[in-house]
Amino acid sequence: MADQNFPLTGFGSLAIHGGHEQDPQYAHLTPIFATSTFVYDSAEQGMRRFSGEEKGYIYTRWGNPTMTEAADKIAAMESFGLTDGSGNPLAIKGYLQASGMAAISALFMSTLKTGDKILSHYSLYGGSQELMDKLLPDFGISAVIVDLRDLNKAEEALKADPAIKMIYLETPANPTLQCVDIEALTKLGKQYGKIIACDNTFATPYLQQPFRFGVDFVIHSTTKFLNGHGTSIGGAFLGRDIEFMNTWGGKVHKMLGGNSNPFDAFLLVNGMKTLEVRMERHCHNAMEVAGFFEGHAAVSKVNYTGLPNHPDHYIAAKQMRHPGAMLSIELKGGLQAGINMMNRLRMCTRTVSLGTCDTLMCHPASMTHYSVPKEKREQYGITDGLIRISVGMENIQDIIADINQAL
Ligand SMILES: *Cc1c(COP(=O)(O)O)cnc(C)c1O
């Protein structure tokens, strides 16, 4: 295995080697440690393990070597090239979760209590929005939702409501791709002594590192680009306060029981090794697809942050390496045009979710949002002719050929 002290200067090298520890049996890949518990040589060793005096695994809900490798790889990527206040490499601690939603739950439950509020943006992943709207209020925690692209509104909200304890960011946001300025909002939040958390699922650490701008926590749905192959649901909960993550943050993670499992962790580790090359190809193809749609007569709008006419183009360019692989278009023909396009696809995949090798297309008006009344959908920007695309890694001429014939 790679010498742990060899300085890796490239993100792609880190994605491959980061987080790996030599297996005692010399297996090349970290095996799937399919075991619920770990054993002790003696009662005394058990005592040392439980007291934390001796490093070692105890019970898989608390930790498992395959899960550790995945969590450490994500932490290494999120902190790649970053330094702390004293110029030392930034240390990040992460826990692998059963899903992105489990990661968000661990974040909220370990940092908030009754009476606290979360300040967030109105465009968020549906599950995060529902958690804030429907479940957290039962525990006395509520959300203040404003347009966080407007820093004045964000500051007004912070001034007006001292109960706000956390600013929760998701950028680019699912499904609108709206971006918020991580650096500016973190600076503002810190002036008011707030916790800043960021959902980095759409960007991945290759395109964007929220810890660079001083955020306290990053969460991921690893289900998407990090896994990259659509083989499992997963999440990660990461923090820069190592002391907190090793104590209360880790404790809450263990108590909630939203841990991942060795098999999914194994799939994730191997998927993440190719993150850099995958994202390069995804983003390159997305730019080409956006350009193709821009010139097409059946399309009234192309929503891609890589295009200079996108309202969040400059924020995305400031904080992301590339504009990502997600885009949406609006078809002039509305609902029927959307249904027709979906039905005519011959190579691209008709499905929800995102971040896999193949190009995925979803027509929210006839699929995910079919049961939402039209007026309500349109408030969220989900019009009849909206098609969302997770641009895959096929050869670009084939993607464009399929889209062209379907249009
Ligand atoms: C999918 C997604 C989630 C939820 O992740 P799961 O793994 O499905 O629980 C959270 N945030 C964003 C931005 C997502 O795309």
Side-chain angles (χ1 to χ4, degrees), residues 54-72:
E54 179 183 302
K55 251 188 88 138
Y57 292 97
I58 295 173
Y59 186 56
T60 284
R61 174 156 52 79
W62 297 17
N64 173 291
T66 326
M67 284 148 57
T68 300
E69 170 151 353
D72 287 356

Side-chain angles (χ1 to χ4, degrees), residues 233-250:
I233 300 284
F237 166 40
L238 305 133
R240 77 190 299 145
D241 181 344
I242 303 294
E243 170 68 17
F244 172 84
M245 293 304 283
N246 282 336
T247 54
W248 189 241

Side-chain angles (χ1 to χ4, degrees), residues 98-104 124-128 168 170-174 199-202 219-224 232-235 353-354 388:
S99 65
M101 289 312 298
I104 297 170
L124 287 181
Y125 174 67
S128 313
Y168 183 80
E170 180 184 313
T171 180
N174 185 353
D199 179 338
N200 202 28
T201 299
F202 264 41
I219 72 95
H220 275 285
S221 165
T222 62
T223 313
K224 321 291 169 53
S232 68
I233 300 284
S353 198
L354 53 129
R388 190 184 80 171

Side-chain angles (χ1 to χ4, degrees), residues 275-335:
L275 183 66
E276 178 179 300
V277 281
R278 285 190 289 107
M279 293 315 286
E280 283 291 332
R281 173 76 162 231
H282 276 298
C283 296
H284 172 265
N285 282 354
M287 196 66 189
E288 297 280 320
V289 169
F292 168 79
F293 280 129
E294 272 225 305
H296 202 286
V299 176
S300 59
K301 193 171 165 203
V302 185
N303 185 20
Y304 183 56
T305 51
L307 298 174
N309 63 8
H310 189 281
D312 300 332
H313 176 71
Y314 291 101
I315 298 179
K318 177 183 158 197
Q319 61 197 16
M320 295 173 74
R321 191 193 295 262
H322 303 306
M326 298 300 298
L327 57 89
S328 64
I329 56 163
E330 248 166 72
L331 295 173
K332 284 185 188 157
L335 190 68

Side-chain angles (χ1 to χ4, degrees), residues 78-262:
E78 283 291 357
S79 58
F80 179 64
L82 307 185
T83 50
D84 63 17
S86 356
N88 297 314
L90 181 67
I92 294 297
K93 168 82 186 170
Y95 294 104
L96 206 63
Q97 304 288 312
S99 65
M101 289 312 298
I104 297 170
S105 306
L107 166 72
F108 289 166
M109 298 289 271
S110 63
T111 53
L112 303 172
K113 50 184 190 314
T114 302
D116 289 341
K117 291 187 183 176
I118 305 166
L119 175 64
S120 198
H121 185 62
Y122 60 82
S123 175
L124 287 181
Y125 174 67
S128 313
Q129 212 155 32
E130 265 197 306
L131 184 61
M132 290 183 200
D133 284 355
K134 298 190 178 151
L135 183 62
L136 293 184
D138 288 348
F139 296 87
I141 298 166
S142 57
V144 177
I145 302 296
V146 302
D147 185 346
L148 288 182
R149 290 173 302 177
D150 184 338
L151 291 176
N152 293 325
K153 283 205 178 124
E155 183 154 22
E156 272 167 31
L158 291 174
K159 273 193 184 138
D161 205 338
I164 292 170
K165 182 150 180 222
M166 171 187 284
I167 306 181
Y168 183 80
L169 312 175
E170 180 184 313
T171 180
N174 185 353
T176 60
L177 307 175
Q178 287 177 4
C179 296
V180 297
D181 188 329
I182 305 173
E183 185 174 28
L185 286 161
T186 302
K187 209 167 141 213
L188 178 67
K190 288 294 160 196
Q191 277 168 21
Y192 288 83
K194 308 302 176 191
I195 297 169
I196 322 289
C198 185
D199 179 338
N200 202 28
T201 299
F202 264 41
T204 80
Y206 179 59
L207 299 184
Q208 170 176 284
Q209 291 172 295
F211 287 119
R212 179 186 301 279
F213 307 113
V215 311
D216 300 295
F217 297 100
V218 167
I219 72 95
H220 275 285
S221 165
T222 62
T223 313
K224 321 291 169 53
F225 292 102
L226 282 180
N227 173 299
H229 301 76
T231 53
S232 68
I233 300 284
F237 166 40
L238 305 133
R240 77 190 299 145
D241 181 344
I242 303 294
E243 170 68 17
F244 172 84
M245 293 304 283
N246 282 336
T247 54
W248 189 241
K251 183 99 187 147
V252 171
H253 147 75
K254 290 173 191 171
M255 288 192 290
L256 289 175
N259 55 280
S260 179
N261 65 80

